Amino acid sequence: MFGIFLGLVCGVAGILILIRPPSLPAGANAFRRFLASRLAGLVLAGFGALLLASSSFVSVDADEVGHLKRIYAFEELPPGRIVAVAGEKGPQARILGPGFHFIPFVRVLYDVESFPVVTVPEGYYGQLTALDGKPMPDGMFIAPAIDDSRIGAMLVAENFLGTDGGYRGPQETVLKPGRYRINHYLFDVRVDDTTTATVIPAGHVGVVKSNVSEPGTNCVGEEVSASETARDALSVPLVPRGCAGIWKESLFPGAYYLNLHAYEVTLVDTRVQTWEYKGGYTKRIIDLSVDQQGNIKQTERQVVEPVPENAADNAVFVKVEGWDIPVELRALVQVAPDNAPIVVGSVGGLIEIENRILTPAIRSIVRNVAGSSVRVPLRNPDGTLMEPPQYETRPTRVLDLIENRTALEETIELLIKVEGRKAGVAIREIRIGEPAIPPELLVSRLRVQLADQLSNAYERETQAQNKRIETEQARATANEQPRLVEAQIAVKVAGQREAERAALGRAERQFLEELARGQLAQAEVLGKDRVALLQALEKLLASLERKPELVALVGKLVPNTVVSGGSDSGLAGAAAIFGNALKGVQGGSTTPETRQ
C-alpha cells in the first residue's frame, strides 16, 4: 500500500514539474536547479509509474494455478455463497493460468495465491467435492455424474456456479489420471489409497451395488432366482445398470474409475474353486513287516492329521457299521458370471456361500449317503461285471469306501449339485479321499497281500537263480569251447572207427560164412573127422611157425614110419611124411620113407 501511495506522489510531482517548472532564486545550488528542471519531473513521473505498475501484474509458474481473493469491493457475497462470480469480495471464480497477467492494481485489490496443478496418477482417480453451488435436493446424497466430454467445462468455476448450476457437496464425477487446473476455492480434490481404480482381474467379475441412480433411467427391480426349477433357491431383487441397488449386469475384467462413495464393487471369482475337507483326526495304522525267518509281524502307530490352512473344513465323520470313520472330501465348484449378482445379493459372496450353505449341506449329505445304502454293480462268480450291467442297492459297508468309492461319489455329487444350484453355484466334481478305515478291518487283507507279494518275490528269486545258473552254464560252455570242439571231433572219429569196424566185422563174417560153406563142402567129400584132423594140423603148423621150439616136442610124439594094415584112411601117409619131415629137421638128414 505504501508503494502505491509513494508512486502516486512521485507521479503527480513529476507531472507538475513537467507542466510547470518551479522558479528558483538567483544563486541556487546545482541540486536545487536539478530538482526544478524538467528532467527531474520526468524521472519522478517515471518512478511513480513504475511503482504503480508493480502492483498491477502477476506471474504464475507453469505447474501452478493463480487464485484471486478480493479484498476491496463495493459488493458483498450473497448469503450462502463462498466463491464470487461477479467481482464481489472474497474468493473469486476466476483463476490465472501460467505466465504474465496484467490487472490494474491487482496486488492492491486482491490477495494473490498460487496452488499446484492437480495431478492424478495412473491407477487412481480424483474424488471431487464442490464447496459451493446449488444445494442438493432431498434424497440426493451425491451430485450426479456428467459425461466425460463435459468435465472440462464443469471444472470452470464460472460455468459450475453459473450456467451449469452444479450442486454443492460430493460429486459422482471423478477425475481420471491426468493433470488438471482447477479452482481450489471451489473444488476439493482427494487422491489417496481410498481412491484407487477398480480393477477386475481375469477370472473374476465385479458385482456393483449402486447408491445412486442416473437421471432419466427407468429403474424397475426384478426378482431373480438362482434356479428356475428349485422352489427354495436363493433369490434377490436386481436392477438395471444405472439404478440404485444391485445391478443385474456384472462388470467384466478390466479397469473402472468408479466413485467408491457411490458404488460398492464386490469381486466374485468365477474360476473353478477347490474346497477340501480334510484333517482334524488321528489316523491309526498297522504296519506289517517280515523278519529274517519270513514271519509277518505287525506294529500299530498313530498319525495326527491336522487341518490345512487353506482347507474349507475338517474331514467329515461318517458312521458305517458302528465305526466312526473320517472321510476326506474334495469339491470343485464354480460361480457363473450370470449368478454372481444373486450370490452377492443373497449372502454376500462365495465365502459366505461356502460357510453358511454348502459346507453344512455337504457334511450332511456325505453322512447320510455313507451311512445308509449304496448302489453297486453285480459281478459274476469269477469277479467280472455282469453283461448287461446289473445293480443292487444294499446297506453301505465300511469297505465300500474303498471298493465302491465311485458309486458313493456319484450319489453324493448328484445330491450336492441340487444344493449348489439352489445357491447359484455349479458343483463340477466331488471326490472322496482315502478314508481312515480302522486298521483291524484291513489287517487280514494286508497280510494276504503281503503273503502274495512274498510268494511273488520268492518266485522271482527262483527265476533269477535259474537264470543265473543258465548264465553260468553258458559262461562255462564258452570257456570249455576248445575242449568241446575236440570232444565233438573225437566223437565223430569214434563214429568213423565204429563204422570201419562194423564193415570189417561184416567182411569177417562173410569170410567165415564162405569158409564154413567151404568146410561144409570139404566135410561132405572127406568126412567130418578128417576135416577136423586137417584143421587141427593147420593150427599145429601155425603154432609151430610162431614158436619153433615146439618142433622137438612134436617130433617125439609123431611116428617116423606108419605101418598100414591095408586099410588106407587117407591120413596115415600124411602123418608118416609129417614125422619124417620133423626128424629131418632134428637130425639134419632125410631118410627115405618106406611104405609097406
Side-chain angles (χ1 to χ4, degrees), residues 161-238:
L161 298 175
T163 57
D164 290 346
Y167 292 105
R168 177 184 304 174
Q171 307 292 308
E172 183 183 346
T173 303
V174 297
L175 301 181
K176 297 179 180 179
R179 292 169 61 87
Y180 301 89
R181 297 182 184 276
I182 64 174
N183 191 322
H184 287 260
Y185 295 149
L186 176 60
F187 295 107
D188 176 47
V189 182
R190 188 175 69 180
V191 179
D192 53 25
D193 293 338
T194 63
T195 62
T196 57
T198 300
V199 178
I200 310 297
H204 296 70
V205 294
V207 178
V208 180
K209 176 182 177 297
S210 176
N211 299 320
V212 297
S213 296
E214 294 181 4
T217 303
N218 183 19
C219 297
V220 178
E222 177 185 0
E223 191 76 17
V224 180
S225 176
S227 176
E228 297 179 357
T229 58
R231 293 180 300 174
D232 53 349
L234 297 179
S235 61
V236 64
L238 301 178

Side-chain angles (χ1 to χ4, degrees), residues 142-166:
I142 190 170
I146 64 172
D147 190 76
D148 289 347
S149 61
R150 297 175 53 203
I151 290 181
M154 168 192 170
L155 297 179
V156 178
E158 291 87 342
N159 296 335
F160 187 84
L161 298 175
T163 57
D164 290 346

Side-chain angles (χ1 to χ4, degrees), residues 281-284 315-328 363 366-367 370-371 396-402 408 432-439 441-442:
Y281 61 91
T282 300
K283 185 176 183 180
R284 296 171 52 240
V316 182
F317 280 83
V318 299
K319 184 175 287 293
V320 183
E321 295 183 322
W323 297 91
D324 289 326
I325 303 174
V327 176
E328 295 185 347
R363 302 183 72 88
V366 172
R367 285 194 296 264
T396 306
R397 303 166 186 167
V398 174
L399 294 183
D400 286 334
L401 297 174
I402 298 176
L408 293 173
I432 296 176
E434 192 66 27
I437 294 179
L441 302 178
L442 298 176

Side-chain angles (χ1 to χ4, degrees), residues 377-434:
L378 295 178
R379 296 181 179 272
N380 296 314
D382 59 355
T384 60
L385 295 177
M386 289 186 175
E387 291 293 340
Q390 299 182 16
Y391 298 88
E392 69 168 344
T393 300
R394 58 170 174 75
T396 306
R397 303 166 186 167
V398 174
L399 294 183
D400 286 334
L401 297 174
I402 298 176
E403 298 173 348
N404 295 304
R405 186 182 307 177
T406 302
L408 293 173
E409 289 174 346
E410 292 175 353
T411 305
I412 294 172
E413 182 177 321
L414 182 64
L415 297 176
I416 292 180
K417 281 184 176 181
V418 175
E419 298 299 324
R421 284 193 293 268
K422 294 179 181 179
V425 177
I427 306 298
R428 300 298 181 189
E429 183 181 82
I430 294 293
R431 288 293 178 266
I432 296 176
E434 192 66 27

